[in-house]
Amino acid sequence: MAKEKTVRELEDLPGIGEATAMKLRNAGIDSLDKIGTLSPHELSDISGISVDAAKKVIQVAQESVNINYETGEQFYERRKQIGKISTGSKDLDSLIGGGVETNGITESYGRFASGKTQLGFQLAVNVQLPNNEGGLGGATLFIDTEGTFRPERIESIAKSAGLDPKSILSGIIVIRAITTEQQILTLERADKLIQEKNVKLIIIDSLTSLFRAEFVGRGALGERQQKLNQHIHRLQMLADKYSIAAYITNQVMDNPGILFGDPTTPIGGNVLAHAATTRLYLRKSKEDKRIVRLVDSPNMPEGECVIKITTAGIAD
Ligand code: ATP
Ligand code: MG
């Protein structure tokens, strides 16, 4: 009997040659796991192979995917390795369980001037602090989709903390994306940068604005959500692979369907609601005060706290 060969790539699947593999990759099906979740009809439609052949391919793909498991105890040990970045506010840090966590996505949403970007600036500075001072001793990859990155702000936040602004600024790699393609590609190609610059925090400010501008109308909604979904999964993958924290900002839209309470809903629908590990809702209060509500967290209760936005950055 012929020895079974190990299946690692699409081309290793029975009856999948280079051309078919390319078709699949072009359709976003670039891994065995993805093949494993398709129905035979879907795979046949995308690749052009027969439904019967597709059945066999899916079966082989499913069998070759390693499902990694660990016990709750092992998982807990691994959780203890998770790093946290201080937000600059003790109250906010305790609200979210010690700070913005690595290996996960923290989202803040809220109206304009609610402090989403300012919190990002503060994290971009704080992540550079040593571990025992609320940082992770690493750099930030700052994907700016709105043109609101301000080195002057970083400078004054750093100075106020007694840090060298020049060195802090050199630890922030800013990429200005003006199309969703640029935004997506930045993450697709981030591996090398992350390793070379010891990136410990990825900020996307904002995650959704370009998607919202480019995919207009009901007809485009499906495609928008699909792209957004892939993008955010890529972010989660990078966060896991390199143990880095991800901080994304998101706008809100007025939801006229709600008559009582706060009629604002974050953009991105379910795609984002499920992807973000921790969700924060930021609201303006008096003067420099902002109310932060923890809306969703896997291990902390819902709650609120008040922070301040000052010249020195985020404070209690
Ligand atoms: P948008 O949705 O428009 O992007 P945002 O939530 O990102 O809004 P931020 O840019 O984070 O809003 O917050 C803007 C607010 O931060 C300003 O209205 C101001 O109150 C405060 N702010 C900005 N710079 C300073 C500063 N140097 N000193 C004190 N407060 C500042
Ligand atoms: Mg902003």
Side-chain angles (χ1 to χ4, degrees):
M1 207 174 86
K3 209 170 154 236
E4 294 250 328
K5 72 170 180 180
T6 20
V7 178
R8 285 206 190 84
E9 295 182 63
L10 301 188
E11 284 85 348
D12 300 332
L13 292 163
I16 305 286
E18 243 174 73
T20 317
M22 186 139 83
K23 265 192 211 168
L24 288 165
R25 290 200 178 95
N26 287 340
I29 315 292
D30 54 5
S31 65
L32 298 172
D33 332 25
K34 287 184 188 163
I35 299 261
T37 61
L38 295 174
S39 75
H41 280 280
E42 281 171 323
L43 180 56
S44 162
D45 281 349
I46 299 167
S47 64
I49 62 174
S50 74
V51 175
D52 275 341
K55 268 186 201 159
K56 178 70 190 155
V57 167
I58 290 167
Q59 192 197 340
V60 174
Q62 286 174 347
E63 283 165 3
S64 61
V65 172
N66 286 320
I67 307 287
N68 297 318
Y69 65 87
E70 57 189 347
T71 64
E73 196 190 5
Q74 287 166 330
F75 194 89
Y76 192 48
E77 279 307 310
R78 206 160 51 82
R79 281 268 321 153
K80 288 187 195 157
Q81 308 302 315
I82 284 200
K84 288 169 188 176
I85 309 168
S86 169
T87 60
S89 150
K90 289 208 168 62
D91 289 347
L92 179 52
D93 285 351
S94 21
L95 182 74
I96 58 179
V100 170
E101 282 190 358
T102 60
N103 301 52
I105 299 174
T106 299
E107 173 196 354
S108 72
Y109 67 90
R111 288 182 197 271
F112 66 93
S114 56
K116 307 181 290 293
T117 297
Q118 299 300 317
L119 180 53
F121 289 164
Q122 185 73 58
L123 292 169
V125 172
N126 285 4
V127 69
Q128 302 190 49
L129 297 168
N131 288 62
N132 56 358
E133 289 173 30
L136 300 170
T140 299
L141 169 58
F142 196 116
I143 305 175
D144 177 12
T145 71
E146 302 191 316
T148 50
F149 180 78
R150 292 290 176 276
E152 311 84 285
R153 257 320 257 154
I154 300 289
E155 191 176 28
S156 66
I157 294 172
K159 266 191 192 159
S160 310
L163 302 164
D164 172 26
K166 258 195 154 172
S167 133
I168 294 293
L169 278 167
S170 73
I172 305 176
I173 302 127
V174 186
I175 294 178
R176 171 83 170 103
I178 51 174
T179 64
T180 52
E181 281 83 10
Q182 290 174 352
Q183 185 180 333
I184 290 166
L185 280 178
T186 302
L187 278 197
E188 295 297 325
R189 297 183 189 154
D191 288 85
K192 204 164 146 237
L193 192 67
I194 290 171
Q195 289 165 291
E196 279 177 8
K197 304 275 184 186
N198 186 31
V199 169
K200 282 288 159 197
L201 169 67
I202 298 178
I203 295 179
I204 310 181
D205 183 21
S206 105
L207 177 83
T208 44
S209 59
L210 292 175
F211 286 89
R212 207 179 170 196
E214 280 179 34
F215 297 91
V216 186
R218 279 190 180 274
L221 195 63
E223 199 189 347
R224 182 185 90 180
Q225 292 306 87
Q226 191 209 335
K227 289 233 163 102
L228 204 48
N229 192 25
Q230 276 182 16
H231 187 45
I232 196 137
H233 275 99
R234 170 78 186 151
L235 184 62
Q236 179 64 57
M237 197 280 278
L238 290 173
D240 271 328
K241 187 170 173 192
Y242 299 108
S243 288
I244 55 189
Y247 172 73
I248 59 175
T249 69
N250 191 8
Q251 285 99 348
V252 289
M253 54 185 174
D254 287 315
N255 184 346
I258 297 175
L259 293 177
F260 304 101
D262 197 332
T264 50
T265 329
I267 309 285
N270 284 336
V271 164
L272 262 180
H274 296 309
T277 326
T278 301
R279 303 194 100 186
L280 301 171
Y281 177 32
L282 272 57
R283 249 157 47 233
K284 256 194 111 157
S285 177
K286 281 192 190 113
E287 287 141 23
D288 57 353
K289 292 198 180 72
R290 299 291 185 278
I291 302 161
V292 185
R293 175 158 195 86
L294 178 64
V295 180
D296 192 8
S297 156
N299 56 317
M300 296 300 290
E302 279 202 22
E304 281 189 356
C305 76
V306 178
I307 58 168
K308 272 189 198 163
I309 306 178
T310 71
T311 326
I314 305 291
D316 277 307

